[in-house]
Amino acid sequence: MLPTAAPRFIESFAFDATGGVAAASRDLLATPARIAPRFFYDRLGSTLFEAITELDAYYPTRTEAAIFEAHGRAMADSVGPGRVLVDLGAGNGAKAARLFPLLEPKRYVAVDVSVDFLREALRRIQRENPRLEIVGLGLDFASTLELPDGLVDDAPPLFFYPGSSIGNFTPDDALAFLRRIHERAGAGAGASDEGGGILIGVDLVKDCAVLESAYDDELGVTSAFNLNALVNLNRSIGSDFDPRQWKHVAFFDAARSRIEMHLEARQSLVVSWPDASRAFSAGERIHTENSCKYTVDGFADLLVRAGFRSPRHWTDERGWFAVFHAAA
């Protein structure tokens, strides 16, 4: 019996106590105030998000899973075997792990800003896949895609970005992000003829009621996830938010084709943090997240504009969600 290998961990992200406070302060003093999405994902936030994916109203996870189940072999044929699977925002790694038998990756690189959560997940995945080299990378990949030497130098990288997380970027920022992925995918494995690519999940435009119920569930799990960003922000920058003074708000902005999540002040209040403070009036909101929704043609065009070629896609029967593969 083969001994179980141990996953390797590389820490490339740590909250910058100086620059991080300054950036968070600028966001809180902006009009409207905002909180960067990375503050969602401490250990508790990551756990709450996993709970969200189990909710009946939250269709993206199970719809995407059904697409992988129905079309996984076709995706694997399109991708080709032996890639380095770079899982952006890996979470518990379950989505990528289900594809291992089909994709036959040379190496699995799980990237996430929540390193503690990642460590626990990858130990389990390593036990279940003792022959596979597994690397956990703590990285704020929304800011940089500079991967440590040796991770994607010996095989073409396939950047895996499931769950429609690309929707958290504005369209302009999504284009810039996809261009960074394209540059890194094309440079992998010494820019071999095979090249790398992207396998990405995209939520599609649909009925407003379906969208809004997915982001404002009856059990309040999404509300807890949103409010936990305040707790993490307090811990990170020394602010004194009281989550009890705020409520979760989510709605679909049809003109911008996106769900918006906010935290709304229940009363007039003042929040302080090192060297700054801000008064919020009752009903004033902090913008915490966007989730843009695309059409199939619109997202295929975005991939081409980012430099990718020959995008292919697979959807569910209702046309609610799509998974795209495109070569660099």
Side-chain angles (χ1 to χ4, degrees), residues 22-47:
S25 181
R26 286 194 299 271
D27 284 347
L28 289 173
L29 294 172
T31 304
R34 56 183 179 265
I35 295 175
R38 69 171 176 270
F39 289 107
F40 285 135
Y41 296 104
D42 61 353
R43 184 192 294 264
L44 177 57
S46 296
T47 301

Side-chain angles (χ1 to χ4, degrees), residues 145 177-187 306-309 327-328:
L145 270 175
F177 179 64
L178 291 170
R179 282 175 172 161
R180 291 198 296 274
I181 293 178
H182 175 264
E183 181 181 4
R184 198 65 191 89
F308 290 97
R309 53 190 171 84

Side-chain angles (χ1 to χ4, degrees), residues 63-281:
T63 305
E64 184 182 54
I67 294 171
F68 282 126
E69 180 70 24
H71 303 289
R73 172 47 60 191
M75 295 178 195
D77 290 343
S78 182
V79 168
R83 305 294 195 253
V84 177
L85 184 59
V86 183
D87 188 1
L88 300 177
N92 66 9
K95 291 181 180 181
R98 283 194 288 269
L99 296 177
F100 289 170
L102 293 172
L103 296 179
E104 300 176 359
K106 177 182 179 67
R107 179 181 301 112
Y108 174 51
V109 180
V111 184
D112 207 294
V113 72
S114 181
V115 182
D116 290 340
F117 190 77
L118 194 63
R119 287 181 186 276
E120 297 173 2
L122 292 191
R123 291 189 184 101
R124 172 185 53 77
I125 293 175
Q126 186 72 86
R127 288 194 299 270
E128 296 169 355
N129 300 272
R131 290 184 172 86
L132 179 63
E133 181 186 358
I134 294 178
V135 180
L137 176 60
L139 182 71
D140 182 9
F141 60 87
S143 300
T144 178
L145 270 175
E146 291 299 320
L147 303 180
D149 292 342
L151 290 186
V152 297
D153 302 317
D154 56 348
L158 175 70
F159 285 87
F160 182 52
Y161 199 34
S164 72
S165 295
I166 190 65
N168 297 151
F169 296 89
T170 66
D172 286 345
D173 289 342
L175 178 60
F177 179 64
L178 291 170
R179 282 175 172 161
R180 291 198 296 274
I181 293 178
H182 175 264
E183 181 181 4
R184 198 65 191 89
S192 68
D193 290 339
E194 287 185 314
I198 188 171
L199 187 64
I200 184 168
V202 181
D203 200 9
L204 302 179
V205 177
K206 61 185 66 65
D207 183 76
C208 177
V210 174
L211 289 168
E212 291 187 345
S213 65
Y215 291 84
D216 194 9
D217 63 279
E218 294 178 350
L219 294 178
V221 184
T222 311
S223 175
F225 173 72
N226 202 7
L227 289 164
N228 182 65
L230 299 179
V231 178
N232 192 19
L233 194 63
N234 286 346
R235 184 167 52 245
S236 299
I237 74 167
S239 53
D240 60 358
F241 280 97
D242 182 349
R244 293 170 298 182
Q245 296 177 327
W246 298 84
K247 67 177 180 180
H248 167 71
V249 176
F251 59 87
F252 183 61
D253 183 335
R256 295 178 176 177
S257 192
R258 72 187 190 190
I259 285 283
E260 292 187 10
M261 289 207 324
H262 299 256
L263 291 168
E264 182 176 293
R266 295 180 181 273
Q267 62 195 61
S268 296
L269 54 91
V270 176
V271 177
S272 300
W273 58 96
D275 301 321
S277 64
R278 176 166 180 166
F280 290 90
S281 58

